[in-house]
Amino acid sequence: MRFKNNIKPTKKKLILFVGFLCIAIFLWVVKEKNRPIQKSPFPANIEQVKKHLTALTQTPKFRNHKNVDQLNEIAEYIHQNFKTYADSTGFQEYQVDGQVYKNVICSFGTENSKRIIIGAHYDVCGDQQGADDNATGVTALLELARMFKGQKLNYRVDLVAYTLEEPPHFRTENMGSFIHAKYLKDNKIDVYGMASVEMIGYFKDEKGSQDFPVGILSWIYGDKGDFITLVKKFSGAGPFVGNFIDHFKDSNQIKTAIFPAPKFVGGVDYSDHLNFWKFNFPALMITDTSFFRNKNYHQSTDTLETLDTKRMTKVIDAIFLSIIHLK
């Protein structure tokens, strides 16, 4: 196809994308006015959140792919906490270069056949604590396990702590989420959808604290890093994604932006939902936008002191309310 006015295909796609996004966000903002805050029947506990964040980050060794013994200790910590609350728990083990790595899985509502996956990776990139990336995501799983206990669910919910999301294994078949998604696909398991919890603890209210993959997006979302983002496919996301987003917004726990992501925008698949998209499962990412906001990303400065645990608990509450209200 030939494009007129010398506009390159990617640029034209961007113009159309931004135009569509402006309309969608305008309609969403109108709808959001006067939305009441939902009260959770079982809210996230900030002291529990701090306890898990400390346990995950204050370890003798860094939880990277080289320190397999440390990864195993973290996996056991996650497993023991899951075991306290879940209907069933277990490990999904696999080998890479002669070493055994483990996904940790627990399930709720096991009487239901169709399932929802909520995942977060517990490894880090290099020698750093990885407080936001991704102790926050794993802490969300641990707290959700406590909150889901005894709840009547319309779907089976699997909470999955993934290993080997970070480099050098990112975008390879060694990723824990690739192993898990492939297992689900190969065994024809009925998956309604997947939510990847990827960095949910860093917020800033100062102007200029939020960057974007495309600068023009700041006109739409603003330049303050004071919101959580739900990242979905630009088209063909599937009913789970739309329903989850609707319930997340309905909860009104925290300022939320919806980002329908075209493939040409960088960073939109930088987490475990990548592999669920690869196997054609409906999936989205819940994130504080990672390095577009948090400049401690993959640095030794990604520490507990930088996190906003109060707003982080609100993200967890929104996830919980979204899942228990899904029909």
Side-chain angles (χ1 to χ4, degrees), residues 85-102:
Y85 307 109
D87 297 348
S88 65
T89 59
F91 296 106
Q92 182 182 36
E93 298 183 352
Y94 64 100
Q95 288 195 13
V96 176
D97 297 330
Q99 298 279 5
V100 176
Y101 294 91
K102 303 175 181 179

Side-chain angles (χ1 to χ4, degrees), residues 137-303:
V138 177
T139 293
L141 299 185
L142 294 168
E143 187 61 354
L144 285 168
R146 184 183 68 84
M147 295 160 73
F148 280 138
K149 182 177 174 61
Q151 295 292 323
K152 176 63 178 175
L153 300 169
N154 294 315
Y155 298 90
R156 169 172 168 160
V157 177
D158 289 354
L159 304 178
V160 189
Y162 292 119
T163 189
L164 298 189
E165 187 268 357
E166 296 285 9
H169 298 289
F170 183 66
R171 292 199 189 282
T172 74
E173 295 184 3
N174 296 333
M175 290 178 70
S177 55
F178 179 92
I179 298 294
H180 184 226
K182 186 176 186 300
Y183 169 83
L184 296 171
K185 192 71 172 183
D186 289 348
N187 288 275
K188 297 180 173 57
I189 292 173
D190 190 2
V191 176
Y192 184 36
M194 184 268 188
S196 175
V197 190
E198 177 67 44
M199 303 178 63
I200 59 167
Y202 192 87
F203 299 88
K204 289 292 181 182
D205 296 310
E206 294 80 14
K207 289 185 177 181
S209 56
Q210 181 68 53
D211 297 331
F212 296 92
V214 181
I216 197 172
L217 293 176
S218 64
W219 300 357
I220 302 168
Y221 294 103
D223 64 351
K224 295 180 181 180
D226 59 351
F227 57 89
I228 202 72
T229 308
L230 305 182
V231 179
K232 72 183 191 74
K233 281 185 174 181
F234 187 61
S235 62
F240 164 77
V241 173
N243 291 337
F244 182 92
I245 288 173
D246 286 345
H247 286 297
F248 196 98
K249 291 189 299 182
D250 285 344
S251 76
N252 202 19
Q253 297 295 309
I254 190 166
K255 184 178 179 181
T256 304
I258 313 305
F259 188 72
K263 291 181 179 179
F264 60 83
V265 176
V268 299
D269 64 351
Y270 284 10
S271 190
D272 292 300
H273 63 300
L274 158 74
N275 290 307
F276 284 79
W277 283 353
K278 187 175 295 183
F279 286 100
N280 296 316
F281 291 118
L284 77 159
M285 174 171 60
I286 305 163
T287 181
D288 59 24
T289 76
S290 183
F291 52 83
F292 292 113
R293 179 187 307 172
N294 190 345
K295 305 311 175 185
N296 303 306
Y297 174 78
H298 286 185
Q299 303 296 319
S300 60
T301 50
D302 184 9
T303 60

Side-chain angles (χ1 to χ4, degrees), residues 36-43 250-251 253 317 320-321 324-325:
I37 297 174
Q38 285 185 7
K39 185 175 181 180
S40 175
F42 208 159
D250 285 344
S251 76
Q253 297 295 309
D317 284 338
F320 173 73
L321 288 165
I324 65 171
H325 290 143

Side-chain angles (χ1 to χ4, degrees), residues 107-118:
S107 302
F108 297 85
T110 51
E111 68 276 10
N112 301 304
S113 57
K114 188 183 289 288
R115 73 181 70 184
I116 294 167
I117 312 297
I118 306 176

Side-chain angles (χ1 to χ4, degrees), residues 123-146:
D123 62 316
V124 301
C125 180
D127 292 344
Q128 45 120 351
Q129 289 185 14
D132 194 25
D133 184 18
N134 190 29
T136 57
V138 177
T139 293
L141 299 185
L142 294 168
E143 187 61 354
L144 285 168
R146 184 183 68 84

